[in-house]
Amino acid sequence: MPNSGTGARSTTPSDPPVAEFVTWLDQRVARIVDDMFAAVVAATPSVVRDDADVRLLREALDSHMPLLRDAAQSATPRVDVQLGRPAERWARHLARAETDLADLVLAYDAAADVIVATFAAHLRESGVSDARRADALETVLDRLFRYLRTACAAATAAYVQECELLRQRDASDLRAVIVDVLAGTADSTAAEARLGYRFADAHTAFVIWGSHATSAELDRAVARLRAVARPRQLVAVPDGPTAIHGWFSGGDVEAWVSGTSGLRLALGSSHPGLAGFRASHREAAETCKLATRWVDGPVVRFDDVVVLALADGTPGLAAPWATARLGALADPAHSDLLQTLRIWLAELGSPTHAARRLTVHPNTVVKRLERIAALLPVPLDPRSAVLRVAVELAPLTRG
């Protein structure tokens, strides 16, 4: 049996209700553990799949008994629990077995119910008066539930910690596979099996990132992406503490939103096969880099930054060229007009289609175009490739 870790001074059970409970517990400890085991298995069958599960559960239940005894005798109302090693080992085992955390909590509830019911039955069978029975139950159950609440919290913490360790190990393993795939040194069949992802498909790479993102927020963002896109397949791997990258096949992410965490999504183009898997990743990574510096918005595609990507190596040439063609429109004060121009060009000069995307009236777009034409040093022509490129290079003009 493990030593007590209550942290509170234990005393001789001079209080009659406590003495009654401790004596009962000492005399029936083996039977109580058996009853708790049966109750836990009945309430949560998933925790016992084989003989090893049976052994770990019994050891965990048994390890609580001396701690529970000490908690009942504690001279102070506070109960601090350092789980016995068997109980902590069982909680971590459930995490490794991918058992739901809810089952761990339910198991503790089931075990507590057994102690309450059997102690109450003992008091009834002892023929004690109603007043004495009520006093014993009130005193003991208060300490019992404080212990069980604290013990369950400690077990939950061990479970969550083990899950995080497993997640980190799995992510490290996946990253190693991805590195080999991108470098062209991986065995494709083995990599597909490890990733659960087929390379014989068309792939869209993505990066989800935020300057202060947490792993939980990134996981939820990937879940949103999966729910929105409904892809045929998806794989995601953490990329440092504030980003996660991955690939999916099929699906549409137009409805993806950043959520309250403000995370952003960078997307590569869709490319087929293993070569496409690598190409789309390069595009998504470049999109993320450029979007962080130059482009706003929750979703940024490679098509949105491809001109910036081509000019990024020679900004000293690209920026002055774009400034000369945008004129006053390059001033940050006219960012709304520049956005209107960008969308109007993308919609092939249609004020109606541009207004729909901007969620304004078509007449508003027409008035903005009149102001844009007055600011531009070049003709306002929706067919002008020069104007399109200048608009895409506008972020470079702002330093």
Side-chain angles (χ1 to χ4, degrees):
M1 296 288 184
N3 293 326
S4 169
T6 60
R9 180 173 57 86
S10 296
T11 63
T12 302
S14 57
D15 189 0
V18 173
E20 184 84 30
F21 177 76
V22 170
T23 300
W24 168 79
L25 196 65
D26 289 343
Q27 292 175 346
R28 293 176 56 88
V29 62
R31 176 66 181 275
I32 293 169
V33 170
D34 286 343
D35 290 346
M36 288 194 299
F37 177 86
V40 169
V41 172
T44 57
S46 64
V47 305
V48 176
R49 299 184 178 96
D50 54 33
D51 291 343
D53 290 343
V54 170
R55 176 179 56 79
L56 289 171
L57 174 56
R58 283 193 174 277
E59 290 175 351
L61 292 170
D62 190 60
S63 73
H64 281 290
M65 304 313 288
L67 299 176
L68 180 58
R69 187 182 193 278
D70 285 353
Q73 298 179 88
S74 174
T76 62
R78 179 178 177 181
V79 177
D80 295 323
V81 174
Q82 179 67 45
L83 283 182
R85 288 185 179 180
E88 180 179 347
R89 185 163 56 244
W90 183 67
R92 293 182 181 278
H93 170 73
L94 293 185
R96 291 192 295 273
E98 299 184 349
T99 304
D100 286 343
L101 177 58
D103 284 344
L104 182 149
V105 176
L106 186 57
Y108 271 80
D109 287 343
D113 289 343
V114 166
I115 295 176
V116 173
T118 53
F119 183 56
H122 161 74
L123 292 175
R124 286 194 300 271
E125 294 166 1
S126 299
V128 300
S129 66
D130 290 345
R132 180 181 167 190
R133 184 165 68 247
D135 183 40
L137 286 173
E138 181 180 1
T139 301
V140 171
L141 296 188
D142 175 64
R143 300 186 186 190
L144 168 66
F145 282 119
R146 267 184 290 176
Y147 168 78
L148 290 170
R149 182 173 62 247
T150 308
C152 186
T156 298
Y159 176 100
V160 171
Q161 184 185 58
E162 187 67 20
C163 285
E164 180 58 23
L165 288 173
L166 291 171
R167 179 182 181 277
Q168 292 175 4
R169 292 169 190 161
D170 188 58
S172 178
D173 184 28
L174 290 179
R175 279 196 297 269
V177 174
I178 290 295
V179 167
D180 288 343
V181 171
L182 294 176
T185 58
D187 178 275
S188 297
T189 302
E192 284 184 329
R194 180 64 186 90
L195 298 174
Y197 189 95
R198 303 179 309 278
F199 298 131
D201 205 334
H203 316 286
T204 300
F206 65 88
V207 179
I208 299 175
W209 83 103
S211 57
H212 303 290
T214 66
S215 60
E217 289 171 340
L218 292 169
D219 288 342
R220 287 194 293 271
V222 172
R224 287 199 302 275
L225 179 65
R226 189 187 298 273
V228 167
R230 298 182 180 275
R232 291 186 294 273
Q233 56 178 351
L234 183 151
V235 63
V237 183
D239 184 13
T242 59
I244 192 165
H245 71 260
W247 294 258
F248 63 87
S249 298
D252 185 0
V253 298
E254 286 295 335
W256 189 87
V257 294
S258 59
T260 57
S261 58
L263 297 180
R264 305 180 69 192
L265 173 66
L267 294 166
S269 305
S270 178
H271 297 286
L274 189 52
F277 184 89
R278 299 177 184 127
S280 189
H281 173 71
R282 289 193 298 271
E283 292 178 354
E286 183 70 9
T287 301
C288 176
K289 184 186 76 171
L290 294 171
T292 300
R293 185 176 180 186
W294 302 113
V295 183
D296 296 327
V299 180
V300 185
R301 300 174 183 273
F302 185 64
D303 284 350
D304 299 328
V305 299
V306 62
V307 175
L308 281 174
L310 295 174
D312 192 44
T314 55
L317 294 176
W321 180 88
T323 299
R325 281 146 188 82
L326 294 175
L329 198 63
D331 191 308
H334 298 307
S335 58
D336 288 344
L337 293 179
L338 186 65
Q339 176 68 355
T340 297
L341 176 58
R342 177 180 288 108
I343 292 176
W344 179 73
L345 290 170
E347 295 297 337
L348 304 179
S350 168
T352 301
H353 292 169
R356 187 177 299 120
R357 286 183 57 181
L358 291 165
T359 64
V360 298
H361 194 276
N363 288 344
T364 300
V365 174
V366 172
K367 291 179 180 178
R368 289 181 183 177
L369 290 172
E370 291 174 355
R371 294 177 60 194
I372 290 168
L375 293 170
L376 281 175
V378 297
L380 179 60
D381 182 355
R383 299 165 299 177
S384 172
V386 168
L387 184 57
R388 285 173 175 268
V389 172
V391 168
E392 295 303 322
L393 290 176
L396 296 180
T397 68
R398 299 173 188 175

